[in-house]
Amino acid sequence: MKPSTSTTEDAGSLSLRAWPTKNTSTPPLATLIERIQTQKGSFRNVTEQSLEEEIAAQESGEGAEGESSESDEGEDEKSKKEQLFEAKGELLKFASQAFNESAHTLDFVSLLLSKYAPRQAEMTLSPYLKHHVPMGSLGSEVLETSGPDPAQERQENLVSTGWKLLSLSAGTDRILQDASNLEKEMEKEAKYWEQVLAVKEKGWNVCRLPREKHTLAVRYGFLEAAPEFRDKGLAALRRDDDGSIDLDLGITSSAPRSVRIQILHGSEVVAASRHDDLLKEEQHSAEQAILQARNNLFDEELFHEIYREARMMTSRNVKCVRDGISLPMESDITMFIELRDVGNMEDPATKPSKQFEQLPQLALTAMRILLSASHRANYLRRTSLQPPLTERRPRRPIASILRPIISHFEHRSTRSELQTYMQDLSAVLEKAGIDFEYEQPETNLNLDQLLSEKRPAESRLVDALLKTLTAPPQCSIKARLGGEDGEDFTVQTRTQTMTDFRFVAKPSSPSSFLAQTLTEMTFTSIKEIKDHVSHMVILYLVDYIENQKEKWIASSPDEGELTTEETLDGDYEVLTVSVDTDRLELRWDATNRLDDEERVAVWSRGSIHGGMPAFFEKVEDFSNVPVAPSQYAH
């Protein structure tokens, strides 16, 4: 506590006041900006070089100031008091001097008037002057002057005329110069307003700048965007020196940035999206500048939204690394999304691949469409009937952008793997001489079909594309085993959070082994569906062998095993059929075989056959293999 005493009537009292405390709270941003403008002026005058020079000057004088800081504080307080007293004395001095001069002037005028109006003048005379100077002792009279000199008058008229001519000439030049400047200004103003009208006619929202009522602005952002990006979408339309529009984006945190997508095979870049720079030409219109600003702001919001979504998708192997996002595509193929400066976008692929050449640009376009759909959803949510007010403030929902993209990637990988399996199976069965046909996968995401199909006038292509993107991707493969009288089946896949497989079969005969199993089944992994298709091929072959060869009886159809009738001696023959991804195997064995060798026939993609169908030829051969004689029961 610091004691302080008062004078005169409060001399006996004592008042206590607290020491002033330091304000530790951070001043608001508006206060800091106002303080900087007060100290430094406009931000345009503050450069990096000037700040570095000021910092260097402060560092060089820091030591001397630190040594004398304690002594300067006391001297400053003393000098402030002395300056205050000196200013007070100087003020009193000037006031006294002015009072004396005005009193002397009043005495002089009063004494002069005392000769003509003594009573009125006596009221304003000072007592000292009344006592020492008699009334009416000071008088005045008008003196007649001689007439003007004609020669001097002519000279003065000539000088006056010359000055008038000079003034008129200077005024004429100034008027002509102002007229020329006005004409140039009118041309600049006409050019400016012509460009403003062109921007307005293109559909942009032209309005006043909120804090500068006399400045026009254009709103290029999206009203349904996130608040931090909606407020950025307003730029001032200032006039340049030549009259063209200068788009003032205000104080931006960094250079313009855009989203770039790369496809990585390990650590090698095999494909990358492209960036269309509308301002790469020296002469560009105001609309191009506005479009470029809108695209950059839209991409910044896009990256912000997918980054929010990526943090919630770690269960699907989505990672946020190196200021970017990594999405899994296949075993060693990943997609990397990042936000880069527009001037640093040219980074060609190190190992270009035609397989993924168009994929990054298609994915980027799909993400932009999904963000626009999120804006539409925000608009519908804002314009619909609002729920009752609650204390809990509703949170802004996370836009669904990465989920559909990842679902399509997973479905694409699954479809490719399933198609490869069907190709391998078809090649193996073809080598074995077994008829097998299948159709190419039919997917619900077919851009060529979307572009070619006819739709009503009120339906838009982007709506159809958006509906296809957000719907779970699915495809179906139809196949037939055994020609026209064979078995038909369909494999359907559907990917949402995970991929589901559905197998649907149409048996050719109700008595076939395939008809005795479940004709409709659902699986959750591609290995299960592969095994089931292979199992279906085994059932078909076992059923075919049993119907064509009376010798063989299907003892275990699910295992692909056929046996002959057991003899009284307990002897029998075994024929086993097995189907794998890339091979078909037929194995024969018997308990009473004449040699120790087991008969095995294998067909794979690289096997060669000729003449009659190889598989059924081997069945015929194995059926006629000689065995030791045995006694059959009758």
Side-chain angles (χ1 to χ4, degrees):
M1 305 296 289
K2 181 179 179 180
S4 63
T5 58
S6 60
T7 58
T8 65
E9 54 188 2
D10 295 334
S13 62
L14 178 66
S15 62
L16 302 176
R17 60 181 179 179
W19 286 97
T21 59
K22 294 184 178 179
N23 187 9
T24 59
S25 61
T26 303
L29 181 60
T31 305
L32 290 177
I33 293 176
E34 183 179 358
R35 186 184 301 172
I36 294 172
Q37 290 180 344
T38 303
Q39 295 178 355
K40 305 292 184 181
S42 176
F43 280 95
R44 298 175 183 270
N45 301 328
V46 180
T47 61
E48 184 178 357
Q49 182 179 0
S50 64
L51 293 176
E52 290 178 352
E53 293 177 355
E54 184 177 350
I55 293 173
Q58 290 179 355
E59 291 179 352
S60 61
E62 184 178 1
E65 292 179 358
E67 295 176 358
S68 59
S69 59
E70 296 181 357
S71 60
D72 288 346
E73 292 181 358
E75 293 179 358
D76 288 344
E77 294 182 359
K78 184 177 180 181
S79 62
K80 287 181 180 179
K81 292 181 180 180
E82 293 177 354
Q83 290 176 2
L84 182 61
F85 286 122
E86 289 178 359
K88 182 179 179 182
E90 194 171 343
L91 179 63
L92 293 176
K93 177 182 177 182
F94 289 147
S96 176
Q97 183 177 356
F99 177 76
N100 291 333
E101 291 180 356
S102 61
H104 292 162
T105 304
L106 180 61
D107 285 344
F108 174 76
V109 175
S110 300
L111 184 60
L112 181 62
L113 293 176
S114 63
K115 183 177 181 180
Y116 308 101
R119 291 186 176 276
Q120 296 178 359
E122 187 180 3
M123 299 173 60
T124 57
L125 280 173
S126 62
Y128 179 82
L129 196 62
K130 287 181 183 180
H131 182 69
H132 292 85
V133 180
M135 298 288 290
S137 59
L138 185 63
S140 62
E141 61 182 10
V142 179
L143 300 178
E144 293 184 2
T145 58
S146 59
D149 187 4
Q152 184 179 359
E153 187 175 358
R154 285 194 302 269
Q155 183 66 26
E156 291 178 354
N157 290 335
L158 291 175
V159 172
S160 176
T161 303
W163 279 111
K164 288 180 181 180
L165 291 176
L166 289 175
S167 299
L168 289 174
S169 178
T172 303
D173 296 340
R174 184 61 182 270
I175 291 174
L176 292 176
Q177 184 180 0
D178 291 344
S180 176
N181 294 338
L182 181 60
E183 184 178 0
K184 294 179 181 179
E185 192 71 17
M186 289 174 60
E187 292 177 357
K188 295 179 182 179
E189 197 72 14
K191 182 179 179 181
Y192 171 77
W193 284 105
E194 182 180 354
Q195 294 185 4
V196 170
L197 290 176
V199 170
K200 180 69 175 178
E201 290 174 356
K202 292 295 183 179
W204 297 100
N205 182 14
V206 179
C207 58
R208 292 183 178 181
L209 201 61
R211 295 187 178 182
E212 300 180 23
K213 299 298 183 181
H214 300 287
T215 304
L216 290 179
V218 59
R219 185 172 293 280
Y220 62 90
F222 300 88
L223 294 177
E224 305 305 329
E228 53 267 35
F229 296 98
R230 181 182 62 242
D231 299 337
K232 290 182 180 179
L234 189 66
L237 298 176
R238 304 191 185 278
R239 200 188 72 179
D240 208 346
D241 295 337
D242 59 349
S244 58
I245 288 180
D246 181 16
L247 194 65
D248 187 3
L249 301 178
I251 301 175
T252 57
S253 59
S254 60
R257 295 181 294 177
S258 180
V259 173
R260 187 179 71 170
I261 297 181
Q262 293 178 333
I263 305 298
L264 304 178
H265 186 274
S267 60
E268 301 289 340
V269 180
V270 297
S273 62
R274 63 181 181 273
H275 172 71
D276 298 329
D277 190 2
L278 300 177
L279 304 181
K280 59 183 178 181
E281 300 179 358
E282 294 183 0
Q283 298 295 333
H284 56 270
S285 62
E287 184 189 5
Q288 290 177 332
I290 297 172
L291 282 173
Q292 187 66 58
R294 185 201 64 177
N295 295 343
N296 295 335
L297 183 62
F298 187 81
D299 276 10
E300 288 184 13
E301 182 187 5
L302 174 62
F303 186 78
H304 174 76
E305 292 295 336
I306 63 178
Y307 204 91
R308 288 182 63 210
E309 187 181 8
R311 290 183 296 179
M312 309 296 293
M313 298 181 64
T314 54
S315 60
R316 301 185 72 171
N317 295 328
V318 179
K319 301 178 182 178
C320 300
V321 292
R322 292 192 294 118
D323 296 333
I325 303 168
S326 176
L327 307 182
M329 292 181 59
E330 297 177 8
S331 57
D332 54 347
I333 303 295
T334 57
M335 174 177 286
F336 187 71
I337 307 172
E338 60 181 344
L339 188 66
R340 297 194 65 174
D341 293 343
V342 173
N344 193 21
M345 294 294 290
E346 296 298 332
D347 190 5
T350 55
K351 290 186 177 181
S353 173
K354 292 185 177 180
Q355 180 183 1
F356 303 102
E357 183 178 2
Q358 301 296 331
L359 186 59
Q361 193 65 31
L362 291 175
L364 181 58
T365 304
M367 290 180 183
R368 288 168 176 169
I369 292 175
L370 291 171
L371 180 59
S372 299
S374 175
H375 287 173
R376 182 187 298 180
N378 293 338
Y379 171 75
L380 296 176
R381 191 182 304 109
R382 180 172 60 86
T383 56
S384 60
L385 184 63
Q386 299 297 318
L389 296 177
T390 58
E391 296 181 356
R392 188 174 182 179
R393 185 178 181 181
R395 298 183 60 185
R396 184 167 62 90
I398 297 177
S400 180
I401 300 176
L402 292 181
R403 289 180 179 87
I405 301 296
I406 293 178
S407 296
H408 281 281
F409 285 162
E410 293 177 352
H411 184 76
R412 179 178 180 271
S413 176
T414 302
R415 186 178 72 242
S416 176
E417 186 176 355
L418 186 60
Q419 186 176 3
T420 302
Y421 167 74
M422 299 298 284
Q423 289 176 353
D424 295 341
L425 181 62
S426 176
V428 171
L429 295 180
E430 183 182 358
K431 296 294 183 182
I434 302 172
D435 293 334
F436 181 77
E437 300 175 354
Y438 75 97
E439 299 177 358
Q440 293 297 326
E442 297 179 359
T443 177
N444 60 340
L445 181 59
N446 192 334
L447 295 180
D448 296 334
Q449 183 179 357
L450 284 175
L451 294 174
S452 59
E453 69 180 4
K454 296 181 179 179
R455 57 182 55 84
E458 62 274 5
S459 178
R460 298 185 301 173
L461 174 62
V462 66
D463 294 331
L465 180 59
L466 182 62
K467 183 178 179 181
T468 306
L469 283 175
T470 54
Q474 52 188 346
C475 73
S476 61
I477 300 177
K478 297 180 181 180
R480 174 174 289 180
L481 179 64
E484 295 182 358
D485 298 331
E487 309 289 347
D488 294 336
F489 66 94
T490 304
V491 178
Q492 300 174 350
T493 64
R494 183 176 183 272
T495 304
Q496 197 165 9
T497 305
M498 58 183 298
T499 303
D500 298 329
F501 302 89
R502 187 167 177 261
F503 178 85
V504 180
K506 295 181 180 180
S508 58
S509 173
S511 61
S512 64
F513 293 126
L514 183 60
Q516 297 174 13
T517 61
L518 293 175
T519 57
E520 293 188 12
M521 298 185 68
T522 302
F523 306 95
T524 58
S525 68
I526 192 169
K527 183 179 183 304
E528 293 178 356
I529 191 66
K530 288 180 181 179
D531 294 341
H532 189 73
V533 173
S534 301
H535 180 246
M536 189 213 67
V537 176
I538 292 174
L539 291 178
Y540 167 76
L541 295 177
V542 169
D543 187 65
Y544 186 86
I545 294 172
E546 185 184 41
N547 292 332
Q548 296 295 326
K549 300 292 181 180
E550 296 181 356
K551 177 181 178 179
W552 298 104
I553 302 172
S555 59
S556 180
D558 292 333
E559 301 296 332
E561 185 176 296
L562 298 97
T563 59
T564 58
E565 183 180 355
E566 188 175 353
T567 64
L568 295 177
D569 298 333
D571 296 329
Y572 61 91
E573 300 177 36
V574 180
L575 191 65
T576 306
V577 180
S578 62
V579 178
D580 204 350
T581 303
D582 56 351
R583 59 182 288 164
L584 170 62
E585 182 180 290
L586 180 64
R587 185 182 298 272
W588 175 89
D589 197 5
T591 57
N592 56 342
R593 61 189 178 188
L594 296 177
D595 52 20
D596 294 336
E597 293 184 4
E598 185 180 29
R599 268 67 170 180
V600 179
V602 178
W603 294 267
S604 61
R605 297 186 61 179
S607 62
I608 303 176
H609 70 87
M612 60 183 303
F615 178 80
F616 299 109
E617 181 182 355
K618 286 298 181 182
V619 171
E620 184 71 22
D621 292 343
F622 290 164
S623 300
N624 298 325
V625 174
V627 294
S630 299
Q631 185 177 1
Y632 288 86
H634 297 285

